[in-house]
Amino acid sequence: MASSRQRLLLGFGLLSSLLLAAYLPIVMMVLMSLRESSRIYADFWGLPWPLHPANYANAIGVLLQPTFNTLFICATSVTGVLFLSTMSGYAFGRMRFPGRSLLFGLVVILMMVPGMLLLTPNYVLAMNLGLRDSYWGLWLFYVSSGQIVAIFLMKSFFAALPEELFESARLAGASEWQCIWLIAVPLCRPILVTVAITTLMMFYNDLIWPLLMINDPKRETLMQALLRFVPADKQATGRADLGAVAAGYVFASVPILLIFWFGMKAYVRGVLSGAVKG
């Protein structure tokens, strides 16, 4: 009995340590964002007192427009991924047509190709199509890359739905389009939220592809703006304003945290359903 309790306490202590280690950088970033840069250089582990909210005013003034740009790009790209993956997943999961297994096999093969290997051919293709310095250079490649895993997930969910639901709807005069949007999609909302949040985080945090596609500062994404956001410390030459930089990273984290917070329940349901049905 004592040995079992000791193992339980040891496991709890280990998990608590890992949790603290994971949250420590986040806590330090928030604390730094509320301190003057000179105090950070003098005492890195000090507490943020007195508070210095001017860091956020500095960061928001520079990062607000790139944040809107990024959210706009992500919203349109995720919408395209959800629409195309829903259509393709329904076709692979519920319809019978020649070459279905071959085409789905090609989708599975594409999942095994590392994204870094596609950077050069994608860049050459974008340049030949004249997509440099336009959002189309982001949208087209985000939608095409994001729907690969989405198709795989949607197909498995649509295939697991009872056929009787669709047969009853067809007997009542429903078209295939109505079967998709009135029956299949409402039943698959958890996996739709899971796909949406997963692809949103991937697009939101992407840096390499926007760096290759966007040179116009008015169109740059949030990650590009954060890369260039290194304000100088006004109290000492040659040093970065660490408080403002930390405030910029905190501000950049807020939109994705809010989206994940409101969609967390559906996201977890989608992940758990996928684990059971997979």
Side-chain angles (χ1 to χ4, degrees):
M1 183 70 176
S3 177
S4 173
R5 184 174 300 174
Q6 290 175 354
R7 287 197 298 268
L8 180 62
L9 291 175
L10 180 62
F12 180 78
L14 179 60
L15 291 176
S16 299
S17 301
L18 293 175
L19 183 63
L20 289 175
Y23 273 92
L24 180 61
I26 300 175
V27 173
M28 290 304 302
M29 181 177 67
V30 174
L31 294 179
M32 287 173 59
S33 70
L34 295 171
R35 301 175 63 194
E36 286 186 284
S37 183
S38 59
R39 295 179 179 272
I40 297 174
Y41 283 107
D43 182 12
F44 182 79
W45 299 102
L47 294 176
W49 190 259
L51 298 178
H52 191 64
N55 290 334
Y56 282 93
N58 188 4
I60 293 174
V62 176
L63 301 177
L64 188 60
Q65 184 59 47
T67 300
F68 287 139
N69 295 343
T70 300
L71 292 176
F72 174 66
I73 294 168
C74 290
T76 51
S77 300
V78 169
T79 300
V81 168
L82 291 179
F83 178 78
L84 294 177
S85 62
T86 298
M87 298 295 99
S88 302
Y90 184 86
F92 284 127
R94 311 272 349 150
M95 302 175 69
R96 301 292 181 268
F97 55 89
R100 185 187 67 157
S101 299
L102 175 61
L103 291 175
F104 187 71
L106 293 176
V107 173
V108 175
I109 291 174
L110 287 175
M111 293 173 58
M112 304 176 187
V113 179
M116 295 298 294
L117 294 181
L118 301 176
L119 278 179
T120 299
N122 284 344
Y123 178 76
V124 173
L125 179 60
M127 292 297 291
N128 291 334
L129 293 175
L131 300 178
R132 186 81 181 276
D133 257 341
S134 72
Y135 286 155
W136 285 104
L138 300 178
W139 288 328
L140 293 179
F141 291 94
Y142 278 165
V143 173
S144 61
S145 62
Q147 66 176 309
I148 297 173
V149 176
I151 290 174
F152 180 81
L153 295 174
M154 298 301 297
K155 183 262 182 186
S156 64
F157 269 77
F158 285 136
L161 295 177
E163 179 62 27
E164 292 78 9
L165 292 175
F166 299 91
E167 290 181 353
S168 300
R170 294 188 185 101
L171 290 175
S175 63
E176 205 67 44
W177 185 263
Q178 291 174 320
C179 289
I180 295 174
W181 294 108
L182 298 180
I183 299 176
V185 170
L187 292 175
C188 292
R189 283 178 181 171
I191 191 59
L192 287 172
V193 175
T194 301
V195 170
I197 293 179
T198 302
T199 53
L200 174 65
M201 293 178 65
M202 180 174 63
F203 300 156
Y204 188 88
N205 295 318
D206 186 27
L207 173 63
I208 297 178
W209 190 245
L211 282 177
L212 294 175
M213 286 289 100
I214 304 297
N215 285 330
D216 186 357
K218 295 181 180 179
R219 298 185 178 184
E220 68 179 1
T221 64
L222 180 57
M223 294 300 111
Q224 289 178 277
L226 281 176
L227 182 65
R228 300 188 179 97
F229 182 62
V230 189
D233 188 350
K234 297 179 181 179
Q235 300 180 6
T237 58
R239 296 195 313 193
D241 190 344
L242 296 182
V245 172
Y249 282 101
V250 172
F251 173 73
S253 305
V254 170
I256 201 71
L257 288 176
L258 290 176
I259 292 172
F260 190 82
W261 176 266
F262 287 110
M264 183 170 56
K265 291 183 179 180
Y267 179 85
V268 172
R269 285 200 302 269
V271 171
L272 295 178
S273 299
V276 173
K277 294 181 181 180

